[in-house]
């Protein structure tokens, strides 16, 4: 690493993608995607990758990091593009490894979009789905393979793929791979690759562990960093509200009903809480779905597609979705639970404010976990603005857990309040009517009036169903015959 070259964001950014000398088919795909000017990470990474250099790149999420390596990798694959249908003419030449299924699927979408005008083939393999279709696709051949480490090893062991002709290896979100314990799998995969190859490592951070990993397989890499480590995007407005745990449901629903947030991701630390929050929001007429590790891949894919299509307003997620989830124009992120790992906060709020757009990041904290907030501020080297969220009384009365309401009532009443008078009952009804008027819930499905009218024997007498004609037979007596009947058979007539 002593010969590592360092690039900074002070370098002059090329005016357009045409300045890189990319293949015309790739430029055509870029134009169709609507991109005109490269981002800083793209401006600094595309050139060295085209030149065949190893690259170690770091950039905060939402800066175009995926295109920074997919575009030049596809350019390097173009001389091998073939219209032949023979699998032998389409060996794997570029391998892109990602830590999660969602990120693998997203990278694959980018690769296929940028190579759409060329004969290059791209496939993606990850766990949680049937391996047979992936096996068939790999045996047909592909130049670019995007994979998660575990499922790739499954295919290698089943001899569905040969990696002996890989020219380019890409590790995307390498820091997350280390966090998830993929290092043994990475070492096994590297043993199947040619020693002479180009290697690229992209990460949101340059931790000591990442630098140690880079030393194991990068050769004199160009080091690119377009932002300070663990920095948050300047386009994201952050705020932290001190909310006790028993009031977080009320606070969340109040924010979603009162703020101008068309689509948000709500992050929870547990799978059970994520599912519960999604159900509670749905009961209030807010379209919500949950995504976490206990969901099947088909369920996770369907949920993400619905969210990206705008059919779902709130996606309640664990950190499985904190990396690789790219939703255009996402309005905000709400951390109903602060993450235990401060770096995860950076990746969570990186889902909003992407590509120069503005976004909002809201966090709830309490006295119990205020230390987690301090860890985050220490990591990002900046204080998170704190504010007071005034939750209307009608929300507290409606959504505060019954145990908390009873506890508050015990502390706040005196002897005169032990009696429930008529005025209190009317007040509660008035508050309920006011809440329903200003914050309407989803309308229930219409119910047939049949279920509301009283029973009328003359009208509601049901027509008896036709009965089957009973077969008549006379049982015979005797121990043998009775045993046969008990076992389910009818004894034969001895005289027959």
């Amino acid at each position: 690493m002593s010969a590592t070259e360092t690039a900074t964001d002070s370098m002059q950014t090329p005016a357009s993608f045409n300045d890189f000398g990319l293949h015309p088919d790739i430029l055509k795909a870029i134009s169709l995607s609507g991109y005109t000017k490269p981002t800083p990470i793209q401006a600094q990474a595309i050139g060295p990758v085209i030149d065949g250099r190893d690259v170690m790149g770091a950039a905060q999420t939402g800066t175009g990091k995926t295109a920074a390596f997919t575009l030049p990798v596809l350019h390097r694959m173009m001389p091998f593009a073939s219209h032949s249908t023979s699998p032998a003419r389409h060996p794997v030449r570029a391998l892109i490894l990602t830590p999660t299924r969602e990120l693998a699927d997203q990278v694959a979408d980018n690769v296929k979009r940028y190579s759409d005008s060329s004969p290059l083939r791209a496939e993606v393999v990850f766990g949680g789905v049937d391996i047979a279709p992936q096996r068939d696709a790999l045996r047909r051949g592909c130049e670019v393979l995007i994979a998660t480490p575990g499922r790739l090893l499954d295919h290698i062991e089943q001899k569905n793929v040969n990696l002996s002709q890989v020219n380019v290896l890409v590790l995307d979100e390498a820091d997350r791979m280390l966090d998830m314990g993929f290092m043994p799998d990475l070492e096994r995969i590297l043993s199947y690759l040619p020693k002479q190859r180009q290697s690229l490592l992209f990460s949101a951070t340059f931790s000591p562990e990442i630098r140690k990993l880079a030393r194991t397989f990068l050769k004199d890499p160009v080091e690119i960093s377009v932002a300070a480590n663990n920095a948050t995007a300047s386009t994201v407005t952050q705020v932290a509200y001190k909310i006790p745990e028993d009031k977080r449901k009320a606070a969340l629903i109040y924010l979603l009903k009162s703020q101008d947030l068309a689509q948000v991701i709500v992050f929870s630390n547990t799978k059970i809480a994520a599912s519960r929050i999604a159900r509670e929001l749905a009961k209030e007429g807010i379209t919500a779905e949950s995504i976490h590790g206990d969901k099947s891949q088909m369920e996770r894919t369907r949920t993400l597609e619905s969210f990206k299509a705008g059919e779902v307003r709130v996606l309640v997620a664990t950190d499985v979705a904190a990396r690789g989830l790219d939703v255009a124009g996402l309005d905000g992120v709400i951390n109903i639970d602060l993450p235990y790992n401060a770096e995860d906060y950076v990746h969570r709020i990186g889902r909003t404010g992407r590509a120069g757009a503005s976004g909002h990041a809201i966090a709830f904290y309490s006295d119990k976990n205020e230390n987690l907030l301090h860890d985050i501020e220490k990591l990002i080297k900046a204080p998170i603005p704190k504010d007071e969220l005034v939750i209307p009384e009608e929300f507290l009365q409606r959504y505060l857990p019954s145990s908390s309401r009873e506890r508050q009532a015990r502390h706040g009443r005196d002897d005169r309040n032990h009696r429930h008078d008529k005025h209190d009952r009317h007040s509660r009804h008035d508050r309920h009517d006011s809440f329903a008027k200003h914050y309407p819930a989803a309308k229930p499905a219409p119910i047939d009036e049949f279920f509301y009218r009283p029973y009328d024997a003359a009208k509601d007498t049901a027509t008896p169903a036709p009965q089957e004609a009973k077969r008549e037979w006379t049982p015979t007596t005797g121990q043998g015959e009775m045993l046969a009947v008990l076992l389910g058979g009818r004894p034969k007539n001895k005289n027959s």
Side-chain angles (χ1 to χ4, degrees):
M1 295 287 289
S2 59
T4 299
E5 297 179 14
T6 302
T8 65
D9 52 0
S10 61
M11 296 174 60
Q12 184 177 1
T13 302
S16 72
F17 288 98
N18 295 324
D19 299 337
F20 295 112
L22 292 167
H23 191 279
D25 288 346
I26 298 176
L27 290 174
K28 178 181 178 182
I30 294 173
S31 177
L32 292 174
S33 299
Y35 302 134
T36 55
K37 185 177 180 180
T39 64
I41 184 65
Q42 294 166 0
Q44 297 177 44
I46 291 177
V49 176
I50 289 177
D51 293 339
R53 297 290 305 275
D54 284 9
V55 170
M56 181 178 175
Q60 58 195 27
T61 55
T63 56
K65 180 158 50 69
T66 302
F69 62 80
T70 55
L71 294 176
V73 166
L74 289 173
H75 173 82
R76 288 179 57 79
M77 296 298 107
M78 288 304 296
F80 304 102
S82 173
H83 291 278
S84 172
T85 58
S86 172
R89 300 299 300 274
H90 301 277
V92 178
R93 300 185 184 276
L95 175 63
I96 302 174
L97 296 177
T98 70
T100 65
R101 311 168 196 174
E102 285 73 25
L103 182 55
D105 202 33
Q106 178 184 307
V107 172
D109 288 343
N110 279 269
V111 171
K112 291 177 180 179
R113 182 169 71 249
Y114 298 140
S115 62
D116 186 58
S117 301
S118 75
L120 291 174
R121 299 180 182 179
E123 295 294 341
V124 58
V125 297
F126 45 73
V129 295
D130 187 6
I131 198 172
Q134 297 177 358
R135 175 198 61 210
D136 297 339
L138 291 176
R139 291 180 177 178
R140 288 192 294 268
C142 63
E143 284 82 6
V144 183
L145 175 60
I146 304 98
T148 53
R151 179 49 63 94
L152 178 60
L153 287 173
D154 292 339
H155 285 291
I156 292 175
E157 291 171 357
Q158 296 183 21
K159 301 187 185 303
N160 298 333
V161 63
N162 187 324
L163 303 179
S164 62
Q165 298 189 55
V166 170
N167 297 328
V168 181
L169 169 66
V170 181
L171 296 188
D172 191 17
E173 299 286 8
D175 52 342
R176 186 64 169 172
M177 287 192 190
L178 295 183
D179 292 342
M180 297 175 68
F182 280 131
M183 193 60 200
D185 289 347
L186 292 177
E187 292 175 346
R188 287 184 59 193
I189 293 171
L190 290 175
S191 68
Y192 291 101
L193 304 181
K195 300 296 183 184
Q196 298 298 322
R197 66 175 185 273
Q198 181 183 18
S199 299
L200 313 175
L201 184 152
F202 284 85
S203 172
T205 61
F206 276 167
S207 64
E209 293 79 12
I210 289 297
R211 293 188 179 278
K212 181 179 178 181
L213 174 64
R215 287 194 292 268
T216 63
F217 76 101
L218 296 182
K219 298 178 181 178
D220 299 329
V222 177
E223 184 175 316
I224 299 171
S225 180
V226 299
N229 288 349
N230 301 305
T232 55
S234 58
T235 55
V236 178
T237 302
Q238 302 179 63
V239 64
Y241 295 121
K242 192 171 186 178
I243 307 290
E245 291 187 10
D246 59 352
K247 295 183 179 180
R248 290 185 181 180
K249 177 182 175 181
L252 175 62
I253 297 177
Y254 170 63
L255 286 174
L256 293 175
K257 285 182 174 287
S258 62
Q259 301 295 316
D260 186 19
L261 299 172
Q263 268 197 314
V264 297
I265 299 178
V266 175
F267 279 104
S268 169
N269 285 345
T270 66
K271 306 168 189 176
I272 294 176
S275 296
R276 174 177 52 78
I277 293 168
R279 290 194 302 268
E280 291 172 344
L281 293 179
K283 289 179 182 178
E284 296 302 319
I286 301 171
T287 54
E289 294 285 352
S290 64
I291 179 172
H292 49 71
D294 283 350
K295 298 275 189 176
S296 69
Q297 184 57 43
M298 184 176 297
E299 290 175 314
R300 290 161 66 170
T301 301
R302 183 170 59 247
T303 298
L304 288 177
E305 289 176 351
S306 299
F307 188 64
K308 291 181 179 180
E311 299 169 2
V312 174
R313 181 188 174 193
V314 180
L315 181 66
V316 189
T318 56
D319 284 307
V320 70
R323 305 284 185 103
L325 180 58
D326 187 5
V327 180
L330 184 67
D331 293 297
V333 168
I334 299 177
N335 288 284
I336 198 168
D337 295 324
L338 287 177
Y340 299 119
N341 186 344
E343 289 185 3
D344 286 336
Y345 175 83
V346 178
H347 299 296
R348 286 182 179 187
I349 71 171
R351 301 307 101 201
T352 186
R354 299 172 71 87
S358 61
H360 301 276
I362 300 171
F364 294 165
Y365 74 100
S366 63
D367 291 331
K368 292 182 179 180
N369 64 358
E370 191 168 1
N371 62 307
L372 297 178
L373 186 65
H374 295 157
D375 291 343
I376 293 170
E377 293 175 329
K378 181 178 179 181
L379 179 73
I380 65 177
K381 297 180 176 62
I384 297 176
K386 300 170 184 62
D387 201 353
E388 180 182 1
L389 180 64
V390 180
I391 307 173
E393 184 65 23
E394 54 262 38
F395 278 88
L396 294 176
Q397 292 294 329
R398 185 179 179 91
Y399 300 117
L400 203 62
S402 58
S403 59
S404 298
R405 289 198 300 269
E406 292 171 1
R407 187 166 56 251
Q408 287 185 354
R410 284 197 302 269
H411 290 310
R413 69 192 177 202
D414 54 21
D415 293 339
R416 290 175 300 174
N417 292 330
H418 282 290
R419 298 185 305 272
H420 298 281
D421 56 26
K422 185 181 297 185
H423 175 73
D424 291 335
R425 290 196 297 270
H426 284 304
S427 297
R428 286 195 296 271
H429 287 306
D430 291 343
R431 286 197 300 268
H432 177 77
D433 294 341
S434 176
F435 183 91
K437 179 180 178 181
H438 292 91
Y439 307 101
K443 295 182 179 179
I447 301 177
D448 196 309
E449 64 177 4
F450 169 83
F451 296 99
Y452 291 112
R453 63 182 175 83
Y455 172 73
D456 187 340
K459 296 181 179 180
D460 298 337
T461 302
T463 304
Q467 299 181 352
E468 290 187 18
K470 295 184 178 179
R471 293 181 295 176
E472 297 184 359
W473 63 285
T474 304
T476 59
T477 58
Q479 187 175 3
E481 289 87 345
M482 292 304 295
L483 178 61
V485 171
L486 290 172
L487 294 175
R490 177 179 177 180
K492 293 183 179 179
N493 194 326
K494 293 181 179 180
N495 298 327
S496 60

